[in-house]
Amino acid sequence: DVFNCPYIDGGIHYSVAYAVFESTDETSGLLRHTAEHEAAHAIVAIRSGLKVTGIALLEEGPLRGGVVCDWKASRHTMSDQQLITSSFALAYAGAVIDMERTGRGIGETIGRLEWDKVAIEDSRRTAVDWQLSSSIEETAALSTAGIEKAISLINEHRELIHELADELMVKISLDEKELADWYVIALSKETE
């Protein structure tokens, strides 16, 4: 509907247009699941020493949904093995949260997460390219270490994940500075 305001400023007559959409438990629940999934990716990345440049629930715009993290840019800040393990942890983090919620196994959960599968395959190919494994098939130990790291970091920082999911439910997206500012405030609350 449109509401015509009686307020006129410099000859401009203002109107307010509004729409009311029904929010159901299903739609708000799905958004919450997505927020927790993406928050898990971000917190695991940050706690692994990786730089996250954005996070969003939207599929459009500069962030185009998900977590933006160029983990390969961190190559000389830690050993290649640590970095690859962290990249697997980053890739699996959302699935770990989803597995806890649904009770499904890792294979079935990952099978439904196209972007996460792409990230896992990128970690596998990079491990071979960086000569940490001689073939894709031999990256299983690194992948397993990544899943274990994701589980450990999620268990240790579950409250941060929930708080970031809350923030995403309100703001929908956070750029690098907004995320860094939020993180500093969230950490200061943890130490109080």
Side-chain angles (χ1 to χ4, degrees):
D1 200 357
V2 176
F3 176 72
N4 290 316
C5 301
Y7 179 68
I8 299 175
D9 180 19
I12 298 173
H13 187 94
Y14 289 92
S15 297
V16 176
Y18 63 92
V20 177
F21 297 96
E22 182 179 354
S23 175
T24 65
D25 287 341
E26 181 181 350
T27 57
S28 62
L30 289 174
L31 185 61
R32 179 66 192 190
H33 297 325
T34 302
E36 289 178 356
H37 177 102
E38 299 304 339
H41 283 301
I43 295 301
V44 166
I46 292 166
R47 298 304 296 176
S48 295
L50 305 176
K51 183 178 177 181
V52 176
T53 57
I55 182 171
L57 298 180
L58 301 173
E59 293 184 18
E60 299 173 353
L63 297 177
R64 292 188 345 204
V67 171
V68 180
C69 177
D70 179 9
W71 59 269
K72 292 176 190 175
S74 298
R75 186 162 188 199
H76 300 291
T77 64
M78 61 185 81
S79 75
D80 284 354
Q81 185 163 346
Q82 288 174 312
L83 184 54
I84 291 292
T85 300
S86 294
S87 77
F88 276 115
L90 165 63
Y92 281 114
V96 169
I97 287 288
D98 292 355
M99 285 175 11
E100 292 174 355
R101 183 178 44 78
T102 65
R104 294 187 176 113
I106 190 70
E108 184 179 358
T109 302
I110 287 293
R112 298 167 184 248
L113 302 170
E114 196 59 40
W115 289 109
D116 293 0
K117 282 193 306 189
V118 169
I120 291 164
E121 289 309 310
D122 182 45
S123 294
R124 290 185 190 284
R125 282 190 310 279
T126 304
V128 172
D129 291 346
W130 291 359
Q131 301 177 349
L132 293 173
S133 296
S134 58
S135 69
I136 295 290
E137 294 76 24
E138 292 184 17
T139 61
L142 290 167
S143 175
T144 299
I147 293 170
E148 290 170 357
K149 182 173 185 168
I151 291 168
S152 175
L153 288 171
I154 287 168
N155 287 336
E156 185 178 348
H157 302 289
R158 190 169 303 276
E159 189 60 34
L160 274 177
I161 292 168
H162 290 303
E163 288 176 27
L164 180 53
D166 291 343
E167 187 78 2
L168 282 171
M169 292 288 290
V170 172
K171 294 195 175 169
I172 304 301
S173 69
L174 299 167
D175 63 23
E176 183 176 1
K177 182 182 180 332
E178 291 168 325
L179 180 59
D181 291 347
W182 171 86
Y183 188 68
V184 167
I185 292 167
L187 285 183
S188 70
K189 288 179 187 175
E190 273 192 344
T191 58
E192 290 177 356

